[in-house]
Amino acid sequence: MDSAPNAAQAEFWNTGAVRSWVELHEDLDRQYAPLSDQALAALQPAPGQRLLDVGCGCGANTLELATQAGPQGAAVGVDISAPMLARARELAAEQGVANASFVEADAQIADLSAGGAPFDGVFSRFGVMFFADPVAAFANIRRHMRPGATLAFICWRRPDENPVMLAPYRAALDVFPVKPPKADPLAPGPFAFSDARRIEGILADAGFGAIDIRPHDQKVGGLSFERALDQALRIGPLAGLLREQPEVADAARQRVAEALRRHEAADGVWLDAAVWVVSARAP
Ligand SMILES: C[S@@+](CC[C@H](N)C(=O)[O-])C[C@H]1O[C@@H](n2cnc3c(N)ncnc32)[C@H](O)[C@@H]1O
């Protein structure tokens, strides 16, 4: 696979940290389902369609798309993470979803014609913010869509609007002796699409029309306190800091536990999430 332009991301999604993503995907899927439902509603997948899930990870949404496409249609998940795709293929087999397939490729540059293009619809849940060259990536995706096909995805809004991503990190930050450098807000990563005007510019430059970007806010979670704590320590920005400075893990754990207790209800831990629901049309 040629993932040269996104080599750093390919490294991240294929080594150490990715194990937690694979092990915890069921919790993540449950937590994020109400958010991906927003993009599915914008996409309106229909029987007989060929659908693409970009940055599909462990494939929960690809399987959903395949089910909605029915036996006359199909869904293809594309991702640069071999371990996540292995889990996605396992899930497809376990659930008997025969019309879902998975391609290990960099969506920015890959030729997806063998994977089922032209697509009638393209979906993504948090899988399109990691491209080194987003305009090139979306132009490549657009080239694999039939004229008039819909692109629909969700991406995170600003970090301060997303306690679900940042509350544990902020709660623990002062126990780390070495503070992380200030992040470049445009660098590939979960918050690279925080600015709606930037998304609009990227999609327009990539050749899309009928661009619609709307905010959606929702509390997500419902995990038990122990599972929410485990996830907070193993996935996201705090997990990265802990990998670099494991000597303060106990102190960080205590801070995060205190923070999560404040968001615990009878039915689990719930945190605010803020996303953009984006849709656009291939001309
Ligand atoms: C935050 S995860 C989301 C995974 C999945 N969509 C979900 O919601 O569970 C981001 C995914 O994008 C994938 N990804 C990042 N850069 C990519 C690229 N250039 N081409 C294809 N997939 C990419 C990662 O490997 C990872 O699986």
Side-chain angles (χ1 to χ4, degrees), residues 168-259:
Y169 173 83
R170 292 205 164 135
L173 191 56
D174 69 354
V175 310
F176 290 93
V178 183
K179 306 295 180 226
K182 202 169 159 28
D184 170 0
L186 302 187
F191 296 108
F193 279 14
S194 301
D195 178 353
R197 277 169 310 180
R198 178 167 193 241
I199 304 173
E200 190 176 3
I202 288 168
L203 293 179
D205 289 351
F208 282 94
I211 300 165
D212 183 68
I213 305 175
R214 63 174 181 84
H216 175 77
D217 296 86
Q218 181 160 19
K219 276 197 191 304
V220 297
L223 302 180
S224 69
F225 174 78
E226 283 308 327
R227 291 185 88 110
L229 179 59
D230 188 41
Q231 189 189 96
L233 297 170
R234 291 175 60 192
I235 284 187
L238 177 59
L241 267 187
L242 281 169
R243 277 191 297 276
E244 288 159 16
Q245 302 175 66
E247 65 282 2
V248 295
D250 288 346
R253 184 186 174 86
Q254 191 168 334
R255 292 292 178 88
V256 177
E258 286 162 11

Side-chain angles (χ1 to χ4, degrees), residues 47 49-50 105 125 141 161 192 204 243 257 259 273:
Q49 288 187 329
R50 305 191 63 81
R125 179 177 76 183
I141 290 166
E161 295 175 283
R243 277 191 297 276

